[in-house]
Coordinates of all heavy atoms in Angstrom, one line a residue:
Chain A
E226 N -25.6 -4.4 -26.5 CA -26.2 -4.1 -27.8 C -26.9 -2.7 -27.9 O -27.9 -2.6 -28.3 CB -27.3 -5.2 -28.1 CG -26.6 -6.5 -28.5 CD -27.4 -7.7 -28.1 OE1 -28.7 -7.6 -28.0 OE2 -26.9 -8.7 -27.8
K259 N -17.3 -7.3 -16.0 CA -17.0 -7.8 -17.4 C -16.3 -6.8 -18.3 O -15.5 -7.2 -19.1 CB -18.3 -8.3 -18.1 CG -18.7 -9.6 -17.5 CD -19.8 -10.3 -18.3 CE -20.4 -11.4 -17.6 NZ -21.8 -11.5 -17.7
L262 N -12.8 -6.6 -17.4 CA -12.0 -7.8 -17.8 C -11.9 -7.8 -19.3 O -11.2 -8.7 -19.9 CB -12.7 -9.1 -17.4 CG -12.8 -9.4 -15.9 CD1 -13.7 -10.5 -15.6 CD2 -11.4 -9.8 -15.5
L264 N -14.4 -8.4 -21.3 CA -15.4 -9.4 -21.9 C -16.5 -8.7 -22.7 O -17.0 -9.3 -23.5 CB -15.9 -10.3 -20.8 CG -14.9 -11.2 -20.1 CD1 -15.6 -12.0 -19.0 CD2 -14.2 -12.2 -21.1
A280 N -4.0 -8.2 -19.2 CA -5.1 -9.2 -18.9 C -4.6 -10.3 -18.1 O -5.3 -10.9 -17.2 CB -5.7 -9.7 -20.3
A281 N -3.4 -10.8 -18.4 CA -2.9 -12.0 -17.7 C -2.6 -11.7 -16.2 O -2.4 -12.6 -15.5 CB -1.6 -12.4 -18.4
I283 N -4.9 -10.3 -14.2 CA -6.1 -10.1 -13.6 C -6.7 -11.5 -13.1 O -6.7 -12.5 -13.9 CB -7.2 -9.4 -14.4 CG1 -6.7 -7.9 -14.7 CG2 -8.5 -9.5 -13.8 CD1 -7.7 -7.2 -15.5
Y285 N -10.0 -13.6 -11.6 CA -11.4 -13.3 -11.8 C -12.1 -14.4 -11.0 O -11.8 -15.6 -11.2 CB -11.7 -13.2 -13.2 CG -13.2 -13.2 -13.5 CD1 -14.1 -12.4 -12.9 CD2 -13.7 -13.9 -14.5 CE1 -15.5 -12.3 -13.2 CE2 -15.0 -13.9 -14.9 CZ -15.9 -13.1 -14.2 OH -17.2 -13.1 -14.6
P287 N -16.0 -15.5 -11.0 CA -17.3 -15.2 -11.5 C -18.4 -15.3 -10.6 O -18.4 -16.0 -9.5 CB -17.4 -16.3 -12.7 CG -16.5 -17.4 -12.3 CD -15.4 -16.8 -11.4
V292 N -20.2 -22.5 -14.3 CA -19.8 -23.9 -14.5 C -20.9 -24.9 -14.4 O -21.8 -24.7 -13.5 CB -18.7 -24.3 -13.4 CG1 -18.3 -25.7 -13.6 CG2 -17.6 -23.3 -13.6
Q293 N -21.0 -25.9 -15.3 CA -22.2 -26.8 -15.2 C -22.0 -27.8 -14.2 O -21.0 -28.0 -13.6 CB -22.3 -27.5 -16.6 CG -22.1 -26.7 -17.8 CD -21.1 -27.3 -18.7 OE1 -20.9 -28.4 -18.6 NE2 -20.6 -26.5 -19.7
D295 N -22.5 -31.0 -14.2 CA -22.0 -32.3 -14.4 C -20.6 -32.3 -14.9 O -20.1 -33.3 -15.4 CB -22.9 -33.1 -15.3 CG -23.0 -32.3 -16.7 OD1 -22.6 -31.2 -16.8 OD2 -23.5 -33.0 -17.6
F296 N -19.9 -31.2 -14.8 CA -18.5 -31.2 -15.3 C -17.5 -32.0 -14.4 O -17.5 -31.6 -13.3 CB -18.0 -29.6 -15.3 CG -17.0 -29.4 -16.4 CD1 -17.2 -28.8 -17.5 CD2 -15.7 -29.9 -16.2 CE1 -16.2 -28.6 -18.5 CE2 -14.7 -29.8 -17.1 CZ -15.0 -29.1 -18.3
P297 N -16.9 -32.9 -15.1 CA -15.9 -33.7 -14.4 C -14.6 -33.0 -14.3 O -13.9 -32.8 -15.4 CB -15.8 -35.0 -15.2 CG -16.1 -34.6 -16.5 CD -17.0 -33.4 -16.5
A298 N -14.3 -32.5 -13.2 CA -12.9 -31.8 -13.0 C -12.5 -31.9 -11.6 O -13.3 -31.6 -10.7 CB -13.1 -30.3 -13.5
S299 N -11.3 -32.2 -11.4 CA -10.8 -32.2 -10.0 C -10.3 -30.8 -9.6 O -10.0 -30.0 -10.4 CB -9.6 -33.2 -9.9 OG -8.5 -32.7 -10.5
E302 N -7.0 -29.8 -11.0 CA -7.1 -29.4 -12.4 C -7.5 -27.9 -12.6 O -7.0 -27.2 -13.4 CB -8.0 -30.3 -13.2 CG -7.4 -31.6 -13.5 CD -8.4 -32.6 -14.2 OE1 -9.5 -32.7 -13.8 OE2 -7.9 -33.3 -15.1
I303 N -8.6 -27.5 -11.7 CA -9.2 -26.3 -11.9 C -8.2 -25.1 -11.4 O -8.0 -24.2 -12.1 CB -10.4 -26.2 -11.1 CG1 -11.5 -27.1 -11.7 CG2 -11.1 -24.8 -11.0 CD1 -12.7 -27.3 -11.0
S306 N -5.5 -24.6 -13.8 CA -5.9 -23.8 -15.1 C -5.7 -22.3 -14.9 O -5.7 -21.6 -15.9 CB -7.3 -24.2 -15.5 OG -8.3 -23.6 -14.6
G307 N -5.7 -21.9 -13.6 CA -5.5 -20.4 -13.5 C -4.1 -19.9 -13.9 O -4.0 -18.7 -14.3
L309 N -2.7 -20.6 -16.6 CA -2.5 -20.6 -18.1 C -2.4 -19.4 -18.8 O -1.6 -19.3 -19.8 CB -3.8 -21.4 -18.8 CG -3.7 -22.9 -18.7 CD1 -5.0 -23.3 -19.3 CD2 -2.5 -23.4 -19.5
G310 N -3.0 -18.3 -18.3 CA -2.9 -17.0 -19.1 C -1.5 -16.5 -19.3 O -1.2 -15.8 -20.2
G312 N 1.9 -17.8 -19.8 CA 2.8 -18.2 -20.9 C 1.9 -18.2 -22.1 O 0.8 -18.5 -22.2
G313 N 2.5 -17.8 -23.3 CA 1.8 -17.9 -24.5 C 1.5 -19.4 -24.9 O 0.7 -20.0 -24.3
F314 N 2.2 -19.8 -25.8 CA 2.0 -21.2 -26.3 C 2.9 -22.1 -25.2 O 4.1 -21.9 -25.2 CB 2.6 -21.5 -27.6 CG 2.6 -22.9 -28.0 CD1 1.4 -23.6 -28.3 CD2 3.7 -23.7 -28.0 CE1 1.3 -25.0 -28.6 CE2 3.7 -25.1 -28.3 CZ 2.5 -25.7 -28.5
P316 N 2.3 -26.2 -23.9 CA 1.6 -27.4 -23.9 C 1.4 -27.9 -22.5 O 0.4 -28.4 -22.1 CB 2.2 -28.3 -24.8 CG 3.4 -27.6 -25.3 CD 3.6 -26.3 -24.8
F317 N 2.4 -27.9 -21.7 CA 2.3 -28.5 -20.3 C 2.7 -27.5 -19.2 O 3.3 -26.5 -19.4 CB 3.3 -29.7 -20.3 CG 3.0 -30.7 -21.5 CD1 4.0 -30.7 -22.5 CD2 1.9 -31.4 -21.6 CE1 3.8 -31.5 -23.6 CE2 1.7 -32.2 -22.6 CZ 2.6 -32.3 -23.7
Y318 N 2.2 -27.9 -18.0 CA 2.5 -27.0 -16.9 C 3.9 -27.2 -16.4 O 4.4 -28.3 -16.4 CB 1.5 -27.4 -15.7 CG 0.0 -27.0 -15.9 CD1 -0.9 -28.0 -16.0 CD2 -0.3 -25.7 -16.1 CE1 -2.2 -27.8 -16.3 CE2 -1.7 -25.4 -16.4 CZ -2.6 -26.5 -16.4 OH -3.9 -26.1 -16.6
C342 N -13.7 -34.2 -6.7 CA -14.4 -33.7 -7.9 C -15.1 -32.3 -7.6 O -15.7 -32.3 -6.5 CB -15.4 -34.7 -8.4 SG -16.4 -34.1 -9.7
R344 N -17.7 -30.9 -8.6 CA -19.2 -30.9 -8.4 C -19.6 -31.4 -7.2 O -20.8 -31.3 -6.8 CB -19.7 -31.4 -9.7 CG -19.5 -32.9 -9.8 CD -20.3 -33.5 -10.9 NE -20.1 -35.0 -11.0 CZ -19.8 -35.6 -12.0 NH1 -19.7 -35.0 -13.2 NH2 -19.6 -36.9 -11.9
E345 N -18.8 -32.1 -6.4 CA -19.2 -32.8 -5.3 C -18.8 -31.9 -4.0 O -19.1 -32.4 -2.8 CB -18.6 -34.2 -5.0 CG -19.2 -35.2 -6.0 CD -18.2 -36.3 -6.2 OE1 -17.1 -36.4 -5.7 OE2 -18.7 -37.3 -6.9
R358 N -7.8 -20.5 -8.0 CA -7.5 -20.4 -9.3 C -7.2 -18.9 -9.7 O -6.3 -18.6 -10.4 CB -8.7 -20.9 -10.1 CG -8.6 -20.7 -11.6 CD -9.8 -21.2 -12.3 NE -11.0 -20.3 -12.1 CZ -12.1 -20.3 -12.9 NH1 -12.1 -21.1 -13.9 NH2 -13.1 -19.5 -12.6
A359 N -8.1 -18.1 -9.2 CA -7.8 -16.6 -9.5 C -6.4 -16.1 -9.0 O -5.8 -15.4 -9.7 CB -8.9 -15.8 -8.9
A362 N -3.7 -16.9 -11.2 CA -3.5 -16.1 -12.4 C -2.8 -14.8 -12.1 O -2.2 -14.2 -12.9 CB -4.9 -15.7 -12.9
Chain B
V266 N -15.6 -35.4 -25.5 CA -15.7 -34.9 -24.1 C -16.0 -33.5 -24.1 O -16.8 -33.0 -23.4 CB -14.4 -35.3 -23.3 CG1 -14.5 -34.8 -21.9 CG2 -14.2 -36.9 -23.3
V269 N -19.5 -32.7 -25.7 CA -20.6 -32.9 -24.8 C -20.6 -31.9 -23.6 O -21.7 -31.4 -23.3 CB -20.4 -34.4 -24.2 CG1 -21.3 -34.5 -22.9 CG2 -20.7 -35.3 -25.2
L270 N -19.5 -31.6 -23.0 CA -19.5 -30.7 -21.9 C -19.9 -29.2 -22.3 O -20.5 -28.5 -21.6 CB -18.2 -30.6 -21.2 CG -17.8 -32.0 -20.5 CD1 -16.4 -32.0 -20.0 CD2 -18.8 -32.1 -19.3
K271 N -19.6 -28.9 -23.5 CA -20.0 -27.6 -24.0 C -21.4 -27.5 -24.5 O -21.8 -26.5 -25.1 CB -19.0 -27.2 -25.2 CG -17.7 -26.6 -24.8 CD -17.0 -26.1 -26.0 CE -16.0 -25.1 -25.6 NZ -15.2 -24.6 -26.6
R272 N -22.1 -28.6 -24.4 CA -23.4 -28.7 -25.0 C -23.4 -28.5 -26.5 O -24.2 -27.8 -27.1 CB -24.4 -27.7 -24.4 CG -24.4 -27.8 -22.9 CD -25.2 -29.1 -22.4 NE -25.4 -29.0 -21.0 CZ -24.6 -29.7 -20.2 NH1 -23.5 -30.4 -20.6 NH2 -24.9 -29.7 -18.9
N320 N -24.5 -16.0 -31.0 CA -25.6 -15.1 -31.0 C -26.9 -15.8 -31.2 O -27.4 -16.0 -32.2 CB -25.4 -14.0 -32.2 CG -26.2 -12.9 -32.0 OD1 -27.2 -12.8 -31.3 ND2 -25.8 -11.8 -32.7
K322 N -29.8 -15.2 -30.9 CA -31.0 -14.6 -31.7 C -31.0 -15.1 -33.1 O -32.1 -15.4 -33.7 CB -31.0 -13.2 -31.5 CG -31.5 -12.6 -30.3 CD -31.4 -11.1 -30.2 CE -31.6 -10.7 -28.8 NZ -30.8 -9.4 -28.5
V390 N -3.3 -32.9 -27.8 CA -2.3 -33.1 -26.8 C -1.6 -31.6 -26.4 O -1.5 -31.3 -25.2 CB -1.2 -34.2 -27.1 CG1 -0.1 -34.1 -26.2 CG2 -2.0 -35.5 -27.2
L391 N -1.2 -31.0 -27.5 CA -0.5 -29.7 -27.3 C -1.4 -28.7 -26.6 O -1.0 -27.8 -25.8 CB 0.0 -29.2 -28.6 CG 1.1 -29.9 -29.2 CD1 1.6 -29.2 -30.5 CD2 2.2 -30.0 -28.3
F392 N -2.7 -28.7 -26.9 CA -3.6 -27.6 -26.4 C -4.5 -28.2 -25.3 O -5.5 -27.5 -24.9 CB -4.4 -27.0 -27.5 CG -3.6 -26.2 -28.5 CD1 -3.3 -26.7 -29.7 CD2 -3.0 -25.1 -28.1 CE1 -2.5 -26.0 -30.7 CE2 -2.2 -24.2 -29.0 CZ -1.9 -24.9 -30.3
Y393 N -4.2 -29.3 -24.8 CA -5.0 -30.0 -23.8 C -5.4 -29.1 -22.7 O -6.6 -29.0 -22.3 CB -4.4 -31.4 -23.3 CG -5.1 -31.9 -22.1 CD1 -6.2 -32.7 -22.3 CD2 -4.6 -31.6 -20.8 CE1 -6.8 -33.2 -21.1 CE2 -5.2 -32.2 -19.7 CZ -6.3 -33.0 -19.9 OH -6.9 -33.5 -18.8
N394 N -4.4 -28.5 -22.0 CA -4.7 -27.6 -20.8 C -5.6 -26.4 -21.2 O -6.5 -26.1 -20.5 CB -3.4 -27.1 -20.3 CG -2.7 -28.2 -19.6 OD1 -3.3 -29.1 -18.9 ND2 -1.4 -28.2 -19.6
K395 N -5.3 -25.8 -22.4 CA -6.2 -24.7 -22.8 C -7.5 -25.1 -23.1 O -8.6 -24.4 -22.7 CB -5.5 -24.0 -24.0 CG -4.1 -23.6 -23.8 CD -4.0 -22.1 -23.7 CE -2.5 -21.7 -23.5 NZ -2.4 -20.3 -23.3
F397 N -9.2 -27.5 -21.8 CA -9.8 -27.8 -20.5 C -10.3 -26.5 -19.9 O -11.5 -26.3 -19.6 CB -8.9 -28.4 -19.4 CG -9.4 -28.3 -18.1 CD1 -10.4 -29.2 -17.6 CD2 -8.9 -27.4 -17.1 CE1 -10.9 -29.2 -16.4 CE2 -9.5 -27.3 -15.9 CZ -10.4 -28.2 -15.5
S398 N -9.4 -25.5 -19.9 CA -9.7 -24.2 -19.3 C -10.8 -23.5 -20.0 O -11.8 -22.9 -19.4 CB -8.5 -23.3 -19.3 OG -8.7 -22.0 -19.1
T400 N -13.2 -24.9 -21.9 CA -14.4 -25.7 -21.7 C -15.0 -25.4 -20.4 O -16.2 -25.3 -20.3 CB -14.2 -27.2 -22.0 OG1 -13.3 -27.3 -23.1 CG2 -15.4 -27.9 -22.1
F401 N -14.1 -25.5 -19.4 CA -14.6 -25.4 -18.0 C -15.3 -24.0 -17.7 O -16.3 -23.8 -17.1 CB -13.5 -25.6 -17.0 CG -13.9 -25.5 -15.6 CD1 -14.8 -26.5 -15.1 CD2 -13.5 -24.5 -14.8 CE1 -15.1 -26.5 -13.7 CE2 -13.9 -24.5 -13.4 CZ -14.7 -25.4 -12.9
D402 N -14.6 -23.0 -18.1 CA -14.9 -21.5 -17.8 C -14.5 -20.6 -18.8 O -13.4 -20.0 -18.7 CB -14.5 -21.2 -16.4 CG -15.1 -19.9 -16.0 OD1 -15.7 -19.2 -16.7 OD2 -15.0 -19.5 -14.7
P403 N -15.2 -20.4 -20.0 CA -14.6 -19.6 -21.1 C -14.4 -18.1 -20.6 O -13.5 -17.5 -21.0 CB -15.7 -19.6 -22.1 CG -16.9 -20.4 -21.4 CD -16.4 -21.1 -20.3
D404 N -15.3 -17.6 -19.8 CA -15.1 -16.2 -19.2 C -13.8 -16.0 -18.5 O -13.1 -15.1 -18.8 CB -16.3 -15.8 -18.3 CG -17.5 -15.4 -19.2 OD1 -17.4 -15.3 -20.3 OD2 -18.5 -15.1 -18.5
F405 N -13.6 -16.9 -17.6 CA -12.3 -16.8 -16.9 C -11.1 -16.9 -17.9 O -10.2 -16.2 -17.8 CB -12.2 -17.9 -15.8 CG -10.9 -17.8 -15.0 CD1 -10.9 -17.1 -13.9 CD2 -9.8 -18.6 -15.4 CE1 -9.6 -16.9 -13.2 CE2 -8.6 -18.5 -14.7 CZ -8.6 -17.7 -13.6
S407 N -10.9 -16.2 -21.0 CA -10.6 -15.1 -21.9 C -10.2 -13.9 -21.0 O -9.4 -13.0 -21.4 CB -11.6 -14.7 -22.8 OG -12.9 -14.9 -22.3
A408 N -10.8 -13.8 -19.8 CA -10.4 -12.7 -18.9 C -8.9 -12.7 -18.5 O -8.3 -11.7 -18.3 CB -11.3 -12.7 -17.6
T409 N -8.4 -13.9 -18.4 CA -7.0 -13.9 -18.0 C -6.1 -14.2 -19.2 O -4.9 -14.6 -19.0 CB -6.8 -15.2 -17.0 OG1 -7.3 -16.3 -17.6 CG2 -7.4 -14.8 -15.7
G410 N -6.6 -13.9 -20.3 CA -5.6 -13.8 -21.5 C -5.5 -15.0 -22.4 O -4.6 -15.1 -23.2
T411 N -6.4 -16.0 -22.2 CA -6.5 -17.2 -23.2 C -7.4 -16.7 -24.2 O -8.5 -16.3 -23.9 CB -6.9 -18.4 -22.5 OG1 -5.9 -18.7 -21.5 CG2 -6.9 -19.5 -23.5
M452 N -17.9 -40.5 -18.1 CA -18.4 -39.6 -17.0 C -19.3 -40.3 -16.0 O -19.4 -39.7 -14.9 CB -19.2 -38.5 -17.7 CG -18.3 -37.4 -18.2 SD -19.3 -36.0 -18.6 CE -19.3 -36.0 -20.4
F455 N -15.8 -41.8 -13.9 CA -14.7 -41.0 -13.6 C -15.1 -39.5 -13.2 O -16.1 -39.0 -13.7 CB -13.7 -40.9 -14.6 CG -13.0 -42.3 -14.7 CD1 -13.4 -43.3 -15.7 CD2 -12.0 -42.7 -13.9 CE1 -12.9 -44.6 -15.6 CE2 -11.4 -43.9 -13.8 CZ -11.8 -44.9 -14.8
R456 N -14.3 -38.9 -12.4 CA -14.6 -37.6 -11.9 C -13.7 -36.5 -12.2 O -13.8 -35.4 -11.8 CB -14.7 -37.7 -10.3 CG -15.8 -38.5 -9.8 CD -17.1 -37.9 -9.7 NE -18.1 -38.8 -9.2 CZ -18.8 -39.5 -10.0 NH1 -18.7 -39.5 -11.3 NH2 -19.8 -40.3 -9.6
S457 N -12.5 -36.8 -12.8 CA -11.6 -35.6 -13.2 C -11.6 -35.6 -14.7 O -11.8 -36.6 -15.4 CB -10.2 -35.9 -12.7 OG -9.5 -36.8 -13.3
F458 N -11.2 -34.5 -15.2 CA -11.2 -34.3 -16.7 C -10.2 -35.2 -17.4 O -10.7 -35.9 -18.3 CB -10.8 -32.9 -17.0 CG -11.1 -32.4 -18.4 CD1 -12.4 -32.3 -19.0 CD2 -10.1 -32.2 -19.3 CE1 -12.6 -31.8 -20.2 CE2 -10.3 -31.9 -20.6 CZ -11.5 -31.7 -21.1
K459 N -9.1 -35.3 -16.8 CA -8.1 -36.2 -17.5 C -8.5 -37.7 -17.5 O -8.5 -38.3 -18.5 CB -6.8 -36.1 -16.7 CG -5.6 -36.8 -17.5 CD -4.2 -36.6 -16.7 CE -3.4 -35.4 -17.4 NZ -2.4 -35.0 -16.5
S460 N -9.0 -38.2 -16.4 CA -9.4 -39.6 -16.3 C -10.6 -39.8 -17.3 O -10.7 -40.8 -17.9 CB -9.8 -40.0 -15.0 OG -10.7 -39.1 -14.3
V461 N -11.5 -38.8 -17.4 CA -12.6 -39.0 -18.3 C -12.1 -39.0 -19.8 O -12.6 -39.9 -20.6 CB -13.7 -37.8 -18.2 CG1 -14.6 -37.8 -19.4 CG2 -14.4 -38.0 -16.9

Side-chain angles (χ1 to χ4, degrees):
Chain A
E226 287 144 31
K259 284 190 190 136
L262 290 169
L264 296 176
I283 294 182
Y285 170 48
V292 176
Q293 316 132 16
D295 58 350
F296 202 106
S299 70
E302 284 176 319
I303 293 169
S306 76
L309 277 177
F314 172 74
F317 308 105
Y318 293 116
C342 171
R344 66 174 186 228
E345 288 164 357
R358 175 182 69 161
Chain B
V266 178
V269 166
L270 289 172
K271 276 190 161 175
R272 305 288 185 265
N320 197 338
K322 274 178 202 152
V390 170
L391 289 184
F392 293 106
Y393 167 82
N394 286 326
K395 302 253 181 186
F397 167 77
S398 167
T400 313
F401 181 69
D402 189 346
D404 277 356
F405 180 87
S407 38
T409 51
T411 300
M452 276 191 255
F455 290 96
R456 297 273 179 273
S457 79
F458 192 71
K459 190 178 258 164
S460 54
V461 166

